[in-house]
Amino acid sequence: MKHCIDLTVKSVEHINEKYVLVKLTDNNPLPEMKPGQFVEIKVEDSPKTFLRRPISINNVETDTNELHLLIAIVGDGTRHMAKLVPGDKLNVMLPLGNGFTLPEKPSDKHLLVGGGVGVAPLLYLGKKIKEMGGEPTFLLGARSAKDLLMIDKFKSVGRVFITTEDGSEGEKGFVTNHSILNKETFKLISTCGPKPMMVAVARYADNTNIECEVSLENKMACGLGACLCCVEKTQDKGNICICTEGPVINAKRLEW
Amino acid sequence: MATLNVNIGNLKLKNPVMTASGTFGYGVEFADFVPLEEIGGIIVKGTTLHHREGNDYPRMAETASGMLNCVGLQNKGVDYFCNNIYPTIKDIDTNMIVNVSGSSPEDYGECAARINELDNIPAIELNISCPNVKHGGMAFGTSCEGAASVVREVRRKYDKTLIVKLSPNVTDITEIARAVEAEGADSVSLINTLMGMAIDIEKRQSLLSIGTGGLSGPAVKPVAVRMVHQVSKAVKIPVVGLGGICTAEDAIEFLMAGATAIEIGTANFLDPAVTIKVRDGINAWLDSHGCSSVKEIIGVI
């Protein structure tokens, strides 16, 4: 069941000048959310921020009844969210979309590849894999060491491998160049990040016969499969709505 | 509690609030948020004789107080609707209305004839105003002869309530309204989206895959209210008003301008429960202003 509720801002943590971590809570228990699902946020600000903003679920803390959103400040809507203060109300529609496939067995080796703000949903996915008794492997890419996000948090959940384009941390290059890919064999890859990165990861997975799920972020309006704006072409079903049949989709279905 | 029921021809609405085609799916998408049976009417996504993939992505751009879209009538065709979707929506206890589009009068007629066979679809809304398809759609809605030819063909094959959705992208919308009235339309609904464009100045290209799109949302409301007012004075059939309605006050403006019922479109994307809030707001306004029926305010301007 989907909900449209006013949540309360518990804290807003400025990770750096480009990213904030917004923690939301409510008096009632938050609805159940799956890794890879997203929320749509109403930004009460200006006529320029007219539509809701789709934001992926970074983490859910059941003990403290918190929903965490890692937000890249890119436009008027996200800039407004970065200015929220504890106690503010935020109207949130959730949970939306399908979510990532979890490994069948805890022992299945699962690689989680993220880049930029696309690392956000992988934290919650990793946490769920860990709760199953598995050990997620994160492969996180960024331009430079300063662009890496929440690395300590990822390390608390699983193994972390890093690439940076300038070599300032981890291996130099792109995620698909990392040596871990030659050393170990994975059963399943989940990826979220810039499209060129996801295309490269999907090709790598295809070449090495690994199941691969990508999380897309097409521009959308309703989030409910009604407006048909966020479509992606698939090989099996033509245009599908990313908000309802995604955002997570098996890479084999895409025309990439 | 004021009386909210209104009639569009033979179609009885429990209240004047309907949903605009293409903004509310088939209703079921919103069932978690809204008691669907409490909405006056649900106008489902545009349906064509044959399957349409629609236009390429990107299909949407946010603009000040509105949005542009160029979805291009993506739908699985009328057979799929009749066989697969109709069974899932036919028992929703409100007026389920199908928006019908096509690329020739014969297409429209055949599609309408198929819908005519469905017991629980009491009306169609004929879309002669879609700005996002190359052939048909708005091409019919921008000339009196084009509009009349489609309505004439459909009227021969469709005997339930026929609402014709008009394009605002014309010099004089009242001429088109009169032309479709003369061919036997039971009602006109207006406005469809206004043709617009938005540009990504860094990429030096349109934000939409086909260059242009239809503008909707509060940005178009004053234009829509004006056109509803003009058309309601020009025709005798009831007018359904839409264009940027977000609140009960917006809806009341349309009713006062001459609309017998209203449709809520883009606002469904902002608040999935907006339809019921607008209905309740109309009722509260009527109560607080000593009106016993919504009919007391229709066309008072």
Side-chain angles (χ1 to χ4, degrees):
Chain A
M1 171 131 183
K2 301 180 186 93
H3 305 262
C4 191
I5 44 179
D6 284 330
L7 298 182
T8 306
V9 176
K10 196 162 177 183
S11 69
V12 180
E13 191 183 317
H14 289 257
I15 292 177
N16 59 37
E17 74 274 17
K18 284 191 281 186
Y19 298 95
V20 289
L21 181 65
V22 177
K23 297 184 178 177
L24 301 169
T25 188
D26 194 34
N27 292 331
N28 301 312
L30 291 168
E32 199 177 313
M33 291 169 258
K34 291 191 283 195
Q37 288 189 306
F38 66 100
V39 304
E40 279 241 79
I41 292 186
K42 186 117 194 283
V43 182
E44 309 275 2
D45 188 17
S46 75
K48 276 181 148 183
T49 54
F50 176 65
L51 298 168
R52 285 175 180 266
R53 266 49 185 168
I55 306 283
S56 66
I57 293 167
N58 171 239
N59 196 6
V60 177
E61 295 285 1
T62 319
D63 300 349
T64 49
N65 199 38
E66 286 175 13
L67 164 64
H68 298 183
L69 307 174
L70 178 62
I71 295 168
I73 305 167
V74 290
D76 291 332
T78 46
R79 201 169 299 126
H80 176 79
M81 283 185 245
K83 288 183 194 151
L84 291 165
V85 294
D88 281 350
K89 296 282 184 193
L90 208 53
N91 186 263
V92 185
M93 204 156 75
L94 80 172
L96 304 174
N98 56 1
F100 287 107
T101 306
L102 289 166
E104 279 173 34
K105 306 190 294 287
S107 58
D108 288 347
K109 285 192 74 173
H110 197 147
L111 181 67
L112 288 63
V113 186
V117 76
V119 302
L122 301 182
L123 181 66
Y124 187 37
L125 173 60
K127 202 171 98 165
K128 285 286 179 189
I129 295 168
K130 190 181 177 187
E131 281 172 16
M132 287 173 68
E135 188 190 33
T137 304
F138 296 102
L139 175 53
L140 307 175
R143 280 216 181 92
S144 174
K146 66 176 169 39
D147 301 312
L148 290 163
L149 301 167
M150 307 181 80
I151 294 301
D152 290 343
K153 197 80 191 165
F154 283 103
K155 283 182 176 162
S156 72
V157 173
R159 297 189 299 159
V160 176
F161 299 92
I162 289 168
T163 62
T164 51
E165 289 173 39
D166 64 0
S168 54
E169 188 155 343
E171 293 186 14
K172 184 173 177 173
F174 296 110
V175 285
T176 40
N177 307 127
H178 198 282
S179 59
I180 185 74
L181 299 177
N182 300 323
K183 288 181 201 150
E184 297 187 23
T185 311
F186 295 92
K187 182 145 191 217
L188 181 64
I189 297 177
S190 305
T191 183
C192 184
K195 189 167 174 183
M197 184 205 84
M198 291 198 290
V199 171
V201 172
R203 291 210 177 117
Y204 164 80
D206 194 40
N207 292 337
T208 49
N209 270 324
I210 304 172
E211 283 295 308
C212 176
E213 287 187 336
V214 305
S215 178
L216 303 178
E217 50 168 18
N218 297 0
K219 267 203 252 176
M220 65 178 65
C222 71
L224 300 169
C227 71
L228 311 185
C229 289
C230 63
V231 289
E232 182 74 26
K233 277 196 180 126
T234 58
Q235 306 202 16
D236 55 324
K237 279 179 78 182
N239 282 321
I240 60 162
C241 283
I242 282 313
C243 65
T244 49
E245 295 191 59
V248 178
I249 176 166
N250 192 302
K252 282 202 183 82
R253 297 181 64 195
L254 297 168
E255 295 192 342
W256 285 4
Chain B
M1 181 78 194
T3 309
L4 292 179
N5 63 298
V6 294
N7 295 342
I8 301 289
N10 293 325
L11 186 70
K12 293 178 171 34
L13 308 182
K14 57 188 89 170
N15 62 67
V17 179
M18 298 196 279
T19 62
S21 176
T23 67
F24 207 67
Y26 294 94
V28 288
E29 293 87 341
F30 288 73
D32 283 351
F33 305 102
V34 187
L36 298 175
E37 68 284 357
E38 292 186 26
I39 301 173
I42 294 174
I43 305 181
V44 307
K45 177 69 190 162
T47 302
T48 50
L49 188 57
H50 303 295
H51 167 98
R52 286 183 56 92
E53 261 315 281
N55 292 319
D56 282 346
Y57 179 88
R59 294 174 168 185
M60 189 274 285
E62 185 181 39
T63 58
S65 296
M67 62 179 273
L68 291 162
N69 87 82
C70 64
V71 171
L73 292 173
Q74 177 181 328
N75 79 100
K76 292 187 170 160
V78 71
D79 285 341
Y80 185 89
F81 174 80
C82 293
N83 298 330
N84 300 85
I85 299 171
Y86 175 68
T88 67
I89 64 171
K90 70 181 176 58
D91 295 325
I92 299 171
D93 185 19
T94 184
N95 295 299
M96 298 302 291
I97 298 170
V98 178
N99 179 284
V100 170
S101 203
S103 49
S104 70
E106 293 71 29
D107 273 10
Y108 277 98
E110 209 172 316
C111 191
R114 292 294 319 277
I115 307 286
N116 204 31
E117 294 162 14
L118 305 175
D119 288 342
N120 291 4
I121 305 291
I124 59 172
E125 180 181 61
L126 209 58
N127 179 4
I128 57 166
S129 44
C130 178
N132 298 323
V133 295
K134 277 193 188 132
H135 303 290
M138 200 170 81
F140 294 107
T142 50
S143 76
C144 291
E145 308 87 82
S149 70
V150 173
V151 176
R152 193 180 307 133
E153 182 64 21
V154 171
R155 192 72 284 183
R156 285 198 316 117
K157 296 185 168 169
Y158 189 79
D159 57 20
K160 300 179 198 170
T161 302
L162 173 59
I163 305 166
V164 181
K165 188 170 186 179
L166 304 182
S167 171
N169 303 300
V170 292
T171 309
D172 183 356
I173 196 169
T174 63
E175 284 183 0
I176 314 281
R178 277 193 286 257
V180 304
E181 180 183 39
E183 295 296 340
D186 297 304
S187 169
V188 285
S189 57
L190 60 141
I191 58 176
N192 205 320
T193 55
L194 282 151
M195 276 270 265
M197 191 171 185
I199 290 166
D200 182 330
I201 59 171
E202 297 306 324
K203 292 185 183 159
R204 303 186 183 206
Q205 65 185 40
S206 170
L207 283 160
L208 299 170
S209 63
I210 62 164
T212 58
L215 178 65
S216 64
V220 310
K221 198 191 81 179
V223 177
V225 172
R226 183 264 294 180
M227 288 188 164
V228 164
H229 186 245
Q230 283 180 310
V231 169
S232 71
K233 301 290 181 201
V235 296
K236 294 190 178 66
I237 51 178
V239 173
V240 177
L242 71 151
I245 296 172
C246 293
T247 64
E249 288 75 15
D250 294 341
I252 291 166
E253 276 194 61
F254 277 85
L255 296 168
M256 288 186 173
T260 299
I262 57 101
E263 296 177 18
I264 297 179
T266 306
N268 290 307
F269 305 156
L270 314 181
D271 178 358
V274 66
T275 41
I276 292 308
K277 290 178 189 168
V278 168
R279 182 211 49 186
D280 292 345
I282 293 171
N283 183 50
W285 190 95
L286 293 169
D287 283 349
S288 68
H289 290 73
C291 302
S292 60
S293 164
V294 69
K295 289 171 188 158
E296 290 174 35
I297 63 166
I298 292 170
V300 294
I301 306 291

